[in-house]
Amino acid sequence: MDNKAKRHIIKLVSRFPSKESALLPALALLQKKYGYIAEDDLVELSEIMNLPEARVFSTASFYSMLSLKKTGRYHIQVCMNVVCSLLNGASLLSYISEKLGIREGEVTPDGLFSLASVECLGSCGYAPAIQINMEHYENISIEKVDGLIEAIKKKER
Amino acid sequence: MEKILSRNINVPDSQSLDVYIKRGGYDALKKALSLPSEKVISIVAESGLRGRGGAGFPAGMKWKLLPADRTAARYLICNADEGEPGTFKDRQIIELDPHLLIEGMTIAAYAIGACRGFIYIRGEYDWIARVLVRALREAEDKGFSGVDILNSGHQFCIDVFRGAGSYICGEETALIESLEGKAGRPRLKPPFPAAFGLYGQPTVVQNVATLASIPFIINMGPDVFKSFGKPRSYGTMLFGICGHVNKSGVYEYPMGTSLKKLIYEVAGGIKDNKKLKAVIPGGLSAPILKADEIDIEMDFDSLIAAGSILGTGGIIVLDEDVSIPFVAQKAARFFAHESCGQCTPCREGTSMLKLLIDRIAAAEGSLADIEQVLRLCRYIKGSTLCAMGDAAAFSVGTMVKKFREEFEALVK
Ligand SMILES: Cc1cc2nc3c(=O)[nH]c(=O)nc-3n(C[C@H](O)[C@H](O)[C@H](O)COP(=O)(O)O)c2cc1C
Ligand code: FES
């Protein structure tokens, strides 16, 4: 991690009545900044926070929004819970998979996209829903997904 | 109908403090601060307000369980994890009326004597968390929150804490563990959070909609609150109606409103004029109801009498074309994925349920597999550390029991 992240984490630690409470926000910060949490960063984090490495790893590996594996710069998650999958979520997942040429859990060769299914995003009234990094998209359709992916490609070209 | 939880949402700029104040916002806080804290507790107790997060525990009673000694630090946590599939009500409050939550929470904190509070919001609700942070800053600037609230000498500082994608962190003791930087594994109870909560201190955890009901109760008095709903289920509920209905969305109605009315009138009936097959009435954990079982009132007792639960009030409507084994497969996958893995009946039970249902749904199962699902559900019930095992067993088990012919058709 860079110095800025380190400073940020040190500041986080002082915000809570107990330093341990800063662990999840610190991990989220690394996830957001790097798109995943590298093993070296876990070690460094345990040093900065003076917590056992095992403790940091245990937390980091528990939560589905934290990834210990490198994901694409745009991580696309498609809700596959009951309501979304009944309202076309399932075909969305296969559509995106085909369009990007990757399956769930894979990253495109250029590192731009990765794909995963996800449990209920809290958008059941506005289904189907997907999430790309921290952005939420509701009432999504194949046309809308196309638009989103094309826009990202254009921006990153 | 007068609204309690959604009275501001259609007003332009409803998130802003100015608009909130113009509409009578923070009057309840002023009133509460002028009363002894015990009085505030008794008003809330008298209102009969019950938890809106799924379990329906009376809020006032929970507050009275706190130790009498007020000298040690105590915490108030708002549960905004909203992970129960089919549920999307709390987000409406936070997104469109954040000050209602902040006011309700600040009143509750005054009542129980908490100086520090957290709003634990699911990580996926990033944009909603940002609305909340902005509102909190505004409230602090104007003295409605923070160190010396409205010059009363009372302090209550709220932090927004983001979850990171875990359903079990909605369970209150798992949530506390998560706030302490750990994996979200529910604690063995007792001790309950009232005695041993965050950092081992007395703690109250309350759902968003529970807290957001409090300003109304303080402003109007418990009797007006009790004029909504029915005995043992007072007030209103934010019903989130989704699935195969014409107008899915969040609708506020009194407790005890007919489920049939909610589906056919409020949500505009079944999509594409199809027939109804089944309804999951209170989030995915709630046992499924068949189409001929929906002539019921949506309140705590009526749903228990019907063999289900009010849960979160998230209503999932399924039309005649839905395959119940498919729904069971999604449910089993969900619970297996979200089990924290700490206790054996839930960890092994949910993954075996998933395996069996997957096999049945793929038409590779047998009648014995169906029996095994039902047996497993009986074994899981009551033997897990938290209520999630029960939820999995009741949810999946009831689908198999009530729609057995659909499962059997797949194995024959
Ligand atoms: C598996 C599981 C998940 C839960 N998820 C939530 C949730 O997302 N939001 C919530 O308010 N309560 C949830 N609860 C209920 C909480 O444990 C707790 O009862 C509630 O937050 C108390 O607040 P209330 O009395 O105001 O409802 C969950 C319970 C279980 C067992
Ligand atoms: S089922 Fe997809 S958002 Fe709830």
Side-chain angles (χ1 to χ4, degrees), chain A residues 15-18 20-21 23-25 55 58-59 62-65 80-83 85-87 117 119-126 131 134 136 138, chain B residues 85-86 88 91 116 122-127 159 161 164-166 169 178-184 199 242 244 248 316 318 326 330 333-334 337-338:
Chain A
R15 243 184 64 192
F16 295 96
S18 155
E20 297 159 298
S21 291
L23 183 53
L24 204 50
R55 169 71 190 283
S58 151
T59 300
F62 185 82
Y63 294 90
S64 68
M65 288 176 71
M80 290 296 278
N81 206 289
V82 175
V83 179
S85 52
L86 286 174
L87 298 176
S117 64
E119 293 298 348
C120 180
L121 289 169
S123 299
C124 328
Y126 324 102
Q131 191 167 323
M134 291 306 282
H136 223 79
E138 305 181 324
Chain B
F88 47 101
R91 57 178 275 187
R116 191 83 194 249
R122 62 178 301 177
E124 294 88 346
Y125 283 174
D126 184 53
W127 82 102
D159 258 293
F161 193 96
S166 161
C169 285
S178 180
L179 255 172
E180 292 181 357
K182 300 178 208 146
Y199 314 129
C242 61
H244 294 125
S248 59
I316 305 174
L318 306 170
F326 175 81
K330 293 288 167 194
R333 189 185 84 148
F334 172 73
H337 182 257
E338 300 297 335

Side-chain angles (χ1 to χ4, degrees), chain B residues 17-306:
Chain B
L17 181 60
D18 286 347
V19 171
Y20 187 68
I21 290 174
K22 262 191 214 119
R23 295 179 56 80
Y26 288 108
D27 283 355
L29 176 61
K30 285 176 201 154
K31 188 166 166 190
L33 289 172
S34 72
L35 301 169
S37 56
E38 295 77 18
K39 178 71 186 163
V40 178
I41 297 185
S42 66
I43 292 173
V44 172
E46 225 175 285
S47 77
L49 173 65
R50 292 173 65 175
R52 300 312 199 229
F57 195 83
M61 198 189 287
K62 193 186 298 194
W63 301 357
K64 288 181 182 170
L65 291 174
L66 287 163
D69 172 21
R70 285 188 173 227
T71 49
R74 44 178 67 188
Y75 295 98
L76 174 64
I77 299 171
C78 169
N79 189 341
D81 196 48
E82 189 143 88
E84 178 71 34
T87 310
F88 47 101
K89 65 173 173 44
D90 296 337
R91 57 178 275 187
Q92 173 175 297
I93 296 174
I94 306 178
E95 206 174 349
L96 297 174
D97 203 358
H99 287 286
L100 185 68
L101 172 61
I102 297 169
E103 182 177 14
M105 197 171 169
T106 308
I107 294 169
Y110 169 69
I112 65 168
C115 296
R116 191 83 194 249
F118 294 92
I119 299 174
Y120 188 103
I121 185 166
R122 62 178 301 177
E124 294 88 346
Y125 283 174
D126 184 53
W127 82 102
I128 307 179
R130 288 201 297 259
V131 172
L132 194 52
V133 169
R134 212 176 307 131
L136 267 171
R137 214 168 287 145
E138 256 187 314
E140 280 163 19
D141 282 349
K142 294 279 154 58
F144 295 111
S145 177
V147 280
D148 182 16
I149 298 169
L150 299 171
N151 305 315
S152 66
H154 286 281
Q155 172 179 340
F156 185 59
C157 301
I158 304 175
D159 258 293
V160 176
F161 193 96
R162 291 155 204 241
S166 161
Y167 167 64
I168 196 61
C169 285
E171 196 278 345
E172 57 185 12
T173 59
L175 186 156
I176 289 171
E177 290 282 300
S178 180
L179 255 172
E180 292 181 357
K182 300 178 208 146
R185 299 202 178 93
R187 293 175 179 173
L188 195 61
K189 293 167 285 272
F192 291 96
F196 188 93
L198 184 62
Y199 314 129
Q201 299 301 118
T203 300
V204 167
V205 182
Q206 217 77 76
N207 174 258
V208 173
T210 315
L211 292 168
S213 299
I214 292 172
F216 182 91
I217 293 169
I218 299 297
N219 273 328
M220 310 298 286
D223 290 337
V224 178
F225 185 75
K226 285 166 99 165
S227 68
F228 294 88
K230 50 194 281 202
R232 294 178 39 79
S233 293
Y234 293 116
T236 62
M237 188 82 185
L238 286 179
F239 294 105
I241 313 178
C242 61
H244 294 125
V245 285
N246 283 313
K247 291 187 292 178
S248 59
V250 179
Y251 302 97
E252 180 174 12
Y253 276 86
M255 288 273 193
T257 299
S258 142
L259 177 56
K260 210 170 184 170
K261 175 181 164 185
L262 287 171
I263 295 172
Y264 285 97
E265 290 173 34
V266 176
I270 313 301
K271 258 195 183 145
D272 304 326
N273 283 319
K274 287 195 186 151
K275 284 208 205 75
L276 179 70
K277 178 181 265 186
V279 180
I280 302 173
L284 190 58
S285 295
I288 197 165
L289 299 171
K290 295 177 89 156
D292 61 6
E293 294 174 310
I294 66 156
D295 215 347
I296 53 166
E297 297 182 342
M298 290 293 282
D299 58 76
F300 292 111
D301 292 343
S302 304
L303 276 154
I304 287 175

